[in-house]
Amino acid sequence: MSATADDGTPARLKGAASWLINQVSLHSQRLVAEGMAAAGARGYHYRLLAALEEFGPASQAALGRRTGIDRSDVVAMLNELSDQGLVRRSPDPADRRRNVITITLEGARRLHSLDQVLAGIQDELLAPLSPDERAELVRLLSALLAHHSGR
Amino acid sequence: MSATADDGTPARLKGAASWLINQVSLHSQRLVAEGMAAAGARGYHYRLLAALEEFGPASQAALGRRTGIDRSDVVAMLNELSDQGLVRRSPDPADRRRNVITITLEGARRLHSLDQVLAGIQDELLAPLSPDERAELVRLLSALLAHHSGR
DNA sequence: CAGCGATCGTGGGTGCGACCAACGGCTCGT
DNA sequence: ACGAGCCGTTGGTCGCACCCACGATCGCTG
């Protein structure tokens, strides 16, 4: 009926789990990116702030390991975060190779507001699913992620 | 015991569906990219070939619409595909704005071999899940994708 | 205690996928 | 016959994930 008659996705793709996951991930990433951008942040920022609040001050390398962000990218992100005063970078007196990264009060405040944003996004993302289905989805994805752990 | 004691993902992330999806998607994309690369192709190529075989010859714009690939990216991919002789690009006599893209025999052959690769990847990706769980996952993801259709 | 391997921060560069803006050519409805 | 709109193409941008190389530093071992 309507539609440009030019749409319609190849059936091969609609059935492939890899395709589905990537597509949903795309929407997810778009939602996250938009939400973060609206708060003047980005995905990497949230990850780092979360790791900092949860595990306390840490070296940049440790942060990278925990968040799965490359060491070199951590540098850039930390520059941005400290420019915004959300994080403090000070040399580690006990090991002069390292910097100790500390989340500031403002950083924590920002993190919590991003938490709100993120929560809203979860809801939007999972909108068509019942609570049970959401839990099941999380369970299945967690299983997959756990299995493909060893990067 | 083991482990660098520096790993461990923030709890906030482990519970977020958006995070899980993106992580799984990352693994999925890596698997696909590796599989495709081993066959001298890449994700975009498969999408285009699949659309061509399923819907027959089409204009570049139509291909873009069907595969979700931007018009400008379609150009580049089609250049690569026709360089490999997998696709033919000829002017549309009925509408001189358009090119008609046709999949060649070789293209179809390549597509089928990529199908094999892809099938193997599905298996690897979903390895830890039972058949029922796999079906359920596909169902849930499809629901999400259908809901976030518009755009 | 000299020396060497490993680790840390940093800078630079790559790749892929997804997008956007703008152009000249062409079609089609009115 | 003309303007709105589509088509192919070029040439960017952005985010995320990665890699390599470097100098400084640490810590173990001989």
Side-chain angles (χ1 to χ4, degrees), chain A residues 63-105:
Chain A
L63 278 176
R65 262 171 252 128
R66 293 206 255 251
T67 56
I69 302 177
D70 190 90
R71 252 159 68 229
S72 46
D73 296 322
V74 170
V75 174
M77 292 307 112
L78 253 29
N79 287 341
E80 298 178 4
L81 288 174
S82 80
D83 282 355
Q84 292 186 256
L86 306 178
V87 128
R88 211 178 6 170
R89 174 156 39 186
S90 42
D92 184 340
D95 185 341
R96 279 186 296 160
R97 287 174 302 180
R98 301 185 184 178
N99 290 334
V100 177
I101 310 300
T102 316
I103 191 170
T104 64
L105 274 187

Side-chain angles (χ1 to χ4, degrees), chain A residues 3-146:
Chain A
T4 340
D6 259 352
D7 49 357
T9 311
R12 256 176 267 247
L13 297 180
K14 290 197 321 176
S18 60
W19 162 263
L20 288 170
I21 288 175
N22 287 334
Q23 286 306 298
V24 174
S25 170
L26 233 187
H27 288 288
S28 157
Q29 281 186 266
R30 173 155 33 229
L31 288 174
V32 171
E34 281 171 6
M36 291 297 180
R42 50 162 115 212
Y44 272 0
H45 292 175
Y46 180 78
R47 289 203 221 170
L48 288 169
L49 292 176
L52 278 173
E53 196 184 61
E54 194 164 321
F55 298 109
S59 74
Q60 301 184 187
L63 278 176
R65 262 171 252 128
R66 293 206 255 251
T67 56
I69 302 177
D70 190 90
R71 252 159 68 229
S72 46
D73 296 322
V74 170
V75 174
M77 292 307 112
L78 253 29
N79 287 341
E80 298 178 4
L81 288 174
S82 80
D83 282 355
Q84 292 186 256
L86 306 178
V87 128
R88 211 178 6 170
R89 174 156 39 186
S90 42
D92 184 340
D95 185 341
R96 279 186 296 160
R97 287 174 302 180
R98 301 185 184 178
N99 290 334
V100 177
I101 310 300
T102 316
I103 191 170
T104 64
L105 274 187
E106 256 201 82
R109 227 166 29 85
R110 169 68 121 273
L111 174 60
H112 297 139
S113 92
L114 291 181
D115 271 338
Q116 302 277 21
V117 172
L118 244 278
I121 288 175
Q122 303 307 312
D123 239 61
E124 196 176 341
L125 182 63
L126 304 179
L129 266 41
S130 75
D132 280 3
E133 288 175 321
R134 297 185 187 197
E136 179 67 359
L137 179 64
V138 168
R139 193 183 71 75
L140 294 173
L141 289 174
S142 297
L144 288 185
L145 190 50

